[in-house]
Amino acid sequence: MQVPTHTMPAHVLSAHCVVAFPDVVDIENAPGIRSALRTIIQDHGGSCRALVADLSASRFATATALSVLVEARQLAADEGMALYVVASAPLTRKVFTLTGLREVIPVFRTLEELPRAERGPGS
């Protein structure tokens, strides 16, 4: 199922709401990404167990991208959702390790590696 957003493609996979990030998150596009993520989290917090930030198009995670993800993690947690990151590029994954974010945001190489999620009661 496609999830309408103004700036970011998203879809629901199992009980994960997958959001495709652009190749670069910077100060110019970060406000729109933050807004889109807030909307997705609010609209799908009851039906999705996790928000998945798909950074597959990215070769590197900028400080701005990390800031956006940290904020999204808290917003998702407030709605009862986990936050996962999919990052195929080694440099992108390395940034999560070096910053310590990998300790609080699970990072996977592919969508297929995500833990299976079942819909909760009432979903």
Side-chain angles (χ1 to χ4, degrees):
M1 164 174 75
Q2 287 295 323
V3 177
T5 66
H6 297 293
T7 60
M8 299 180 70
H11 67 279
V12 175
L13 174 67
S14 183
H16 297 310
C17 188
V18 181
V19 181
F21 271 59
D23 59 341
V24 175
V25 177
D26 57 27
I27 59 171
E28 289 184 20
N29 64 5
I33 293 170
R34 281 188 168 98
S35 176
L37 290 173
R38 267 193 296 277
T39 299
I40 291 166
I41 291 166
Q42 290 169 352
D43 290 351
H44 298 282
S47 60
C48 290
R49 296 278 186 184
L51 175 69
V52 178
D54 185 357
L55 276 63
S56 296
S58 221
R59 290 185 292 165
F60 185 77
T62 64
T64 304
L66 298 179
S67 172
V68 167
L69 289 169
V70 167
E71 181 181 328
R73 179 182 177 269
Q74 185 58 53
L75 292 171
D78 291 347
E79 293 292 328
M81 300 169 75
L83 174 67
Y84 301 141
V85 168
V86 172
S88 54
L91 281 176
T92 303
R93 290 192 310 275
K94 187 173 186 173
V95 168
F96 283 87
T97 301
L98 292 174
T99 60
L101 282 176
R102 197 172 195 144
E103 299 296 319
V104 294
I105 301 174
V107 179
F108 301 90
R109 291 177 198 260
T110 67
L111 288 171
E112 291 76 27
E113 290 181 1
L114 291 170
R116 288 185 53 99
E118 302 300 327
R119 293 187 191 280
S123 299

